[in-house]
Amino acid sequence: MTHTLPFHTTEASLEVVGGKGRSLSRMTAAGLPVPAGFHLTTSAYRSFIEDNGLRASILDLVGSASSESASRHIQALFEDKELTKEIRTEIHRAYALLGTDGPAVAVRSSANAEDLPDMSFAGQQDTYLNVRGEEALVAAIRNCWASLWTARAISYRQQMGVDHSLVAMAVVVQVMVEAQVSGILFTANPTTGERSEMIANASFGLGEAIVGGEVTPDSYLIDRESLSAKEMTIGAKEQMIVSDGRQGTATRTVSEAQRRESSLPDPLLKSLASLALRVEDHFDGLPQDIEWAAVDDTLWLLQARPITNLPPAPLKDIRWDPPASGAVLLRRQLVESIPGPVTPLFEALYLTVSLQEAWVRGMIRSVYYRRCDIIDYVVHPTVNGYAYKRVGAPPMSKGVTIPKYKMAFLRWKGKVNYTLRWRPGFLGGSYRSIRRWQDRVAPHYRGIIKQWRQVDPASASDKELISGLEALSLADAIYWFSGVAGILILTRQTEALLHGFLQNNAPECGFTSGAFLSGLRSRTMAAQEDLAAIADRIRREKALCQRVVETPAEKLLGILQDHPQGGPILLAIQRYLDIYGHLGNTLDFGEQSTAEAPLPILWNLKRAVQDSTHDPIHLQTDLARKRKAALREANRYFRGKQWLAFRWRLWLAQRYYPHREEALFLSGAGWPVLRRLALELGQRLVDCGTLTIPDDVFYLTRDELAEACQARTHDEAPVDSRQKTADRRELREARKRLTPPGVVTDQDLSKFQGSMDMWGIRISGGAMAYDRMENAPESDTLNGFACSPGQITAEASVILSPGDFKKMKPGTILVCPTTTPAWTQLFSLAEGLVTDTGGILAHGSIVAREYGIPAVLGTGDITKRVVSGQQISIDGSRGIVTIG
């Protein structure tokens, strides 16, 4: 036989029998209880496709139509096609070996790209139960083959980057188990990643009721050591699926008494848990997703596959200790652009070396030292992988001379009482800082980027590539300390002057600085206008517009490439990415930039094409109108000296406020070039056996990278380098689930406790913990920072990362941990913004004002209290969020 194989075969490779078939054969060979059956291999599917001339038609349809349309046409192609005599003969012989009189069988799809650790394809293809007789079996097999091209399977492969031309379908034919109880068991907790727990779902009848979501099953949280249930939830189990006795299945109602019973008695639960551990052990300890069935206390294994996207095991005994006694660390300033745990190379090269050197240079330039002890004083240390800003100055010896700079400063008097002491040269000093950034600092950084962009990575030596990483890293760090930091201070001071004045002199009017700063020109709005212009060009081409609307964002670039009118659009998208593509979710160059992973941009572009009413220019005009209305009201309210004081502060704020986003825009601009150099090194280290994939280069430290490159010259690889990078990657993923505190210190912070007002924003826990408020766990009213004025009540869209961007529902309130420039595209869809962390000058605050939407930042943990679709109310003028 050339197209069928028994379960005990030794030829059960993924390519021959698919993921499901390979798993069943491995369990059969291990002596595990698997119902008898046989494989119809992928060769039968390929023969069927070629014999009927379907291949070209299928690939043409999936390449030129939407998933739904392609699937409908492909399913029709399969309906009237016959299997060859050779294949039917082999099916007849293998089926006869399962029993006389055509036994009932389960016919399951088993594709050659399923049941993998990173791609399960669970539920993407079809299964047919209680199939009796050879004709029914052949029809079920043909339907299984056709299910390789369901809309959900096509879409899933496109999302996962699987080549349609390489997929093929095997079929598993298995003696039917008339299950009394069945279900699913995970040998690790799929929600938390906890390896000491197992999760089982069980219900009466066949397991398809659970897999298909047709019943609420019993749920068991099982302790891995005792094999007993730590927690048990009895589900409704209103119905069960059973064999109908002839062909197919039927749905039966479960009695009221039976619904209240546990479908898994304790002895059977322990037996199931023990069997599951045997399965996991057989698959090299890899946590498994197991489908099982029980008949008269006898357990059968129907399927086992690796748990897809299993979170790393939760970290235990986490402590947030400072790197040195007495140190005070904050999640602020530069760190606001690094929301997650950093990669080892970024920490070693950028935080520890480049930023430190740039900081020392700045200190030497701004302060004249005779002697200064800065050894082992790291300005931006990490704790549990999260970057922090160290507060204060390094230990300094006597004799330090600090020059007297002529500048304006704020003096704290009472609760909220600012006075401005003007010093000669304030405006000149501010003007010079802006000019220095524009004329010297930014051009210098751009020059370094241009220099290394011209280097061909493939022809450069390892030493040259490492030099490029160091040069670009240092250039960005210098840009931050010599340019961005000063601009942030300037904008913070000038807005504080305006906001404090409004709070002190017109508290009854509800004026906020945001009302007078909304709608000013910025890179953020320019990006939206540029994307809207591309969408407008697409809408003008009706045929192209229709294709874009029908096509998933994942396929959009391919569709544009093949469409006769798509060329100019692709060029426009590339120009857009050339300008904005360096922006990402984090400043950490270990993660891909938007240019490398443009899917969120494509989601936004498709939305813009579908929504012809969205007009960023109109939004700017509307915001300008509201700003002018607020100004007219303020002009009527303030008189005499107060009016002069107000207009002076307003002029300062509007003069310098837009520079903040412009300065931040260039941060990380060198990362696309740096990543190109780093990934070339990574590929070289893969070729010599040091790394598994090129991206692992970011999980080496600076010194380890140099050592690995040195070893490569001798055709050697450092010992355990692959395991080391894998462990660090897993540790970083586990750390992503931590919530870093706003302040890390071993000092007594009781003196900072309580609430205070600072620059017009309430701060709980003192000025140090300024990036979030503390709220009672049971309260439905949360306090945060009032960052953008206005009130709104709407549904929430909880978006935890850029991977969730497509879940953002237009007209809802964006609820997220924090925002970085990569999140800007969501603001055009949002009616309001609420975050876990952030302050009045955080990115989300600035952009919310530019879009004129209410914003409350720094609520602490709202992403854990609210789910998408839940209604919330926010008051961006008072910093209050109400849930429900």
Side-chain angles (χ1 to χ4, degrees):
M1 294 186 182
T2 58
H3 299 302
T4 57
L5 290 170
F7 274 3
H8 60 265
T9 180
T10 59
E11 303 175 36
S13 67
L14 179 67
E15 185 56 37
V16 173
V17 299
K20 195 178 285 90
R22 180 180 62 173
S23 172
L24 289 171
S25 280
R26 289 185 63 179
M27 290 192 292
T28 299
L32 293 167
V34 175
F38 67 89
H39 306 285
L40 186 64
T41 68
T42 54
S43 66
Y45 168 82
R46 289 193 170 102
S47 177
F48 174 82
I49 293 298
E50 295 300 330
D51 291 342
N52 290 284
L54 300 181
R55 177 181 171 80
S57 299
I58 290 173
L59 295 181
D60 180 63
L61 284 167
V62 296
S64 60
S66 66
S67 299
E68 292 76 11
S69 176
S71 178
R72 287 195 304 271
H73 288 88
I74 294 172
Q75 301 297 317
L77 293 177
F78 278 78
E79 288 178 0
D80 59 350
K81 302 299 186 296
E82 293 294 332
L83 280 64
T84 64
K85 182 178 180 180
E86 175 189 6
I87 295 176
R88 289 186 69 111
T89 299
E90 290 199 35
I91 292 172
H92 171 78
R93 292 176 182 173
Y95 183 46
L97 293 176
L98 298 182
T100 58
D101 300 327
V105 293
V107 183
R108 306 177 188 273
S109 305
S110 181
N112 63 346
E114 70 173 15
D115 292 354
L116 305 175
D118 55 345
M119 290 187 293
S120 72
F121 282 86
Q124 303 300 318
Q125 284 100 32
D126 292 342
T127 291
Y128 298 89
L129 302 178
N130 195 38
V131 177
R132 296 175 182 270
E134 188 173 322
E135 289 304 316
L137 174 58
V138 169
I141 288 171
R142 185 168 49 229
N143 290 337
C144 281
W145 285 342
S147 73
L148 185 62
W149 304 103
T150 60
R152 59 185 183 271
I154 294 171
S155 178
Y156 188 75
R157 285 196 295 270
Q158 289 167 344
Q159 293 179 33
M160 303 304 294
V162 177
D163 188 343
H164 292 298
S165 66
L166 300 179
V167 296
M169 178 71 79
V171 177
V172 169
V173 179
Q174 194 172 31
V175 171
M176 188 72 189
V177 175
E178 301 289 348
Q180 296 166 335
V181 180
S182 56
I184 303 169
L185 184 143
F186 293 89
T187 61
N189 191 319
T191 302
T192 66
E194 180 60 63
R195 269 47 170 191
S196 66
E197 298 173 345
M198 296 189 285
I199 299 286
N201 284 340
S203 189
F204 299 114
L206 302 177
E208 291 303 300
I210 297 177
V211 175
E214 297 179 35
V215 299
T216 302
D218 298 334
S219 181
Y220 306 85
L221 180 64
I222 306 168
D223 179 75
R224 194 181 180 95
E225 293 297 324
S226 65
L227 303 184
S228 59
K230 297 164 59 176
E231 297 177 13
M232 178 175 62
T233 303
I234 301 300
K237 306 188 297 292
E238 301 96 336
Q239 298 175 326
M240 63 179 174
I241 296 178
V242 297
S243 299
D244 70 356
R246 298 182 301 278
Q247 194 79 240
T249 59
T251 300
R252 300 281 187 265
T253 300
V254 178
S255 68
E256 289 287 346
Q258 202 174 14
R259 293 179 195 179
R260 293 190 291 269
E261 296 177 2
S262 169
S263 54
L264 269 179
D266 287 344
L268 187 59
L269 177 66
K270 287 194 172 185
S271 297
L272 174 63
S274 177
L275 178 61
L277 292 180
R278 287 176 59 196
V279 174
E280 182 185 88
D281 183 64
H282 180 67
F283 287 104
D284 304 317
L286 191 65
Q288 297 290 304
D289 168 2
I290 299 168
E291 291 185 26
W292 55 272
V295 181
D296 296 329
D297 297 330
T298 298
L299 289 165
W300 295 95
L301 298 171
L302 307 179
Q303 185 175 340
R305 55 175 170 246
I307 300 177
T308 307
N309 297 323
L310 178 67
L315 299 173
K316 307 291 186 181
D317 303 321
I318 296 298
R319 294 176 57 87
W320 297 91
D321 297 326
S325 178
V328 179
L329 311 180
L330 303 182
R331 290 280 291 166
R332 57 176 295 186
Q333 291 183 358
L334 173 74
V335 176
E336 293 177 3
S337 298
I338 315 172
V342 298
T343 55
L345 186 60
F346 179 80
E347 178 180 0
L349 184 59
Y350 188 76
L351 295 180
T352 305
V353 175
S354 298
L355 281 177
Q356 192 73 4
E357 182 173 344
W359 176 76
V360 170
R361 290 185 185 187
M363 291 288 286
I364 292 174
R365 186 179 65 249
S366 62
V367 181
Y368 299 100
Y369 291 96
R370 292 178 185 168
R371 186 168 69 254
C372 179
D373 301 325
I374 59 174
I375 299 175
D376 296 329
Y377 184 89
V378 179
V379 183
H380 288 88
T382 63
V383 182
N384 295 317
Y386 285 85
Y388 279 83
K389 170 69 168 64
R390 192 166 182 171
V391 175
M396 294 184 290
S397 301
K398 293 181 180 180
V400 176
T401 301
I402 302 177
K404 295 179 179 179
Y405 288 98
K406 296 178 180 180
M407 58 179 294
F409 63 92
L410 300 173
R411 185 175 63 185
W412 179 268
K413 292 177 64 177
K415 188 176 182 182
V416 185
N417 185 12
Y418 291 101
T419 60
L420 186 64
R421 284 191 175 182
W422 297 107
R423 300 279 183 164
F426 168 70
L427 288 180
S430 302
Y431 177 75
R432 285 193 297 272
S433 67
I434 297 292
R435 289 297 302 270
R436 183 175 65 250
W437 159 62
Q438 292 175 331
D439 298 342
R440 292 171 48 194
V441 180
H444 173 265
Y445 186 24
R446 291 191 183 97
I448 298 296
I449 296 172
K450 181 178 180 181
Q451 173 189 340
W452 286 98
R453 185 183 290 121
Q454 294 171 347
V455 172
D456 178 17
S459 60
S461 66
D462 291 356
K463 185 177 181 180
E464 288 176 303
L465 294 176
I466 292 176
S467 295
L469 302 185
E470 294 173 338
L472 288 163
S473 179
L474 179 59
D476 190 274
I478 292 174
Y479 176 75
W480 169 263
F481 275 112
S482 299
V484 177
I487 302 298
L488 293 182
I489 293 172
L490 186 58
T491 54
R492 183 182 298 117
Q493 288 178 338
T494 53
E495 181 177 359
L497 284 170
L498 175 62
H499 196 86
F501 176 86
L502 295 170
Q503 294 291 298
N504 291 330
N505 295 281
E508 68 279 7
C509 295
F511 288 138
T512 65
S513 58
F516 301 96
L517 299 175
S518 298
L520 300 177
R521 292 294 302 169
S522 69
R523 285 278 189 169
T524 298
M525 295 307 299
Q528 287 302 302
E529 290 174 10
D530 290 349
L531 199 65
I534 299 174
D536 187 56
R537 292 182 64 176
I538 293 174
R539 282 195 295 269
R540 288 199 296 266
E541 304 290 347
K542 291 186 178 181
L544 179 62
C545 179
Q546 185 64 29
R547 290 300 309 278
V548 168
V549 170
E550 293 178 351
T551 302
E554 294 82 359
K555 290 185 63 179
L556 203 53
L557 293 179
I559 290 297
L560 292 172
Q561 196 168 21
D562 295 336
H563 199 280
Q565 298 169 322
I569 305 300
L570 282 173
L571 289 175
I573 292 174
Q574 186 57 56
R575 283 194 295 269
Y576 181 91
L577 294 176
D578 289 342
I579 298 172
Y580 306 104
H582 66 279
L583 302 175
N585 185 49
T586 173
L587 189 60
D588 186 346
F589 54 60
E591 292 195 9
Q592 289 182 318
S593 65
T594 302
E596 293 176 273
L599 187 55
I601 295 295
L602 299 177
W603 285 331
N604 202 29
L605 176 61
K606 183 175 177 180
R607 287 194 187 108
V609 172
Q610 293 170 311
D611 182 12
S612 59
T613 62
H614 176 64
D615 184 356
I617 296 177
H618 175 74
L619 174 62
Q620 285 283 94
T621 304
D622 186 55
L623 291 175
R625 179 185 57 78
K626 292 179 180 178
R627 186 176 68 247
K628 291 175 182 178
L631 180 58
R632 286 194 297 271
E633 185 178 350
N635 285 335
R636 286 193 296 267
Y637 182 86
F638 295 117
R639 289 289 184 268
K641 291 183 179 181
Q642 275 197 341
W643 182 83
L644 290 174
F646 164 69
R647 292 305 298 248
W648 175 244
R649 287 159 175 78
L650 177 63
W651 182 86
L652 284 174
Q654 291 185 343
R655 170 75 172 80
Y656 295 112
Y657 184 80
H659 289 304
R660 180 191 188 276
E661 289 299 292
E662 188 69 24
L664 284 173
F665 177 78
L666 198 58
S667 290
W671 290 174
V673 179
L674 183 147
R675 283 183 56 83
R676 192 159 53 93
L677 304 179
L679 291 173
E680 173 62 29
L681 278 172
Q683 184 59 58
R684 294 178 187 183
L685 294 177
V686 169
D687 294 340
C688 71
T690 299
L691 302 178
T692 303
I693 58 175
D695 192 68
D696 283 344
V697 70
F698 299 109
Y699 290 85
L700 296 174
T701 67
R702 177 174 177 258
D703 292 339
E704 287 169 346
L705 178 58
E707 292 170 4
C709 290
Q710 180 64 29
R712 194 179 80 86
T713 62
H714 302 292
D715 294 326
E716 298 174 355
V719 178
D720 296 332
S721 56
R722 290 189 176 190
Q723 187 61 49
K724 182 188 298 181
T725 54
D727 291 344
R728 288 174 178 172
R729 186 185 292 273
E730 183 175 354
L731 175 61
R732 181 168 178 255
E733 289 301 315
R735 284 173 166 172
K736 287 180 180 180
R737 300 168 65 198
L738 300 176
T739 301
V743 56
V744 169
T745 184
D746 56 6
Q747 290 191 36
D748 180 11
L749 293 180
S750 59
K751 60 183 177 181
F752 297 109
Q753 295 306 310
S755 296
M756 60 184 290
D757 284 341
M758 186 174 183
W759 299 341
I761 45 179
R762 291 187 309 281
I763 297 171
S764 179
M768 295 173 59
Y770 90 112
D771 75 330
R772 71 195 69 189
M773 288 284 198
E774 295 177 2
N775 288 288
E778 68 281 358
S779 177
D780 287 335
T781 300
L782 305 181
N783 290 317
F785 301 132
C787 294
S788 183
Q791 296 81 35
I792 186 69
T793 298
E795 290 184 3
S797 284
V798 181
I799 308 297
L800 300 179
S801 71
D804 295 333
F805 279 6
K806 63 181 177 181
K807 299 178 183 178
M808 179 68 191
K809 183 179 176 182
T812 60
I813 295 172
L814 172 59
V815 177
C816 57
T818 187
T819 68
T820 62
W823 293 69
T824 299
Q825 57 194 281
L826 298 186
F827 283 76
S828 63
L829 306 172
E831 294 293 325
L833 170 69
V834 187
T835 69
D836 289 337
T837 64
I840 196 168
L841 283 179
H843 171 268
S845 176
I846 304 297
V847 179
R849 294 177 202 167
E850 293 176 358
Y851 278 85
I853 61 175
V856 178
L857 274 62
T859 59
D861 61 351
I862 192 166
T863 56
K864 296 180 181 178
R865 302 192 189 204
V866 173
V867 297
S868 292
Q870 189 172 358
Q871 190 171 79
I872 63 174
S873 300
I874 65 176
D875 186 336
S877 302
R878 296 192 299 153
I880 296 174
V881 180
T882 304
I883 302 174

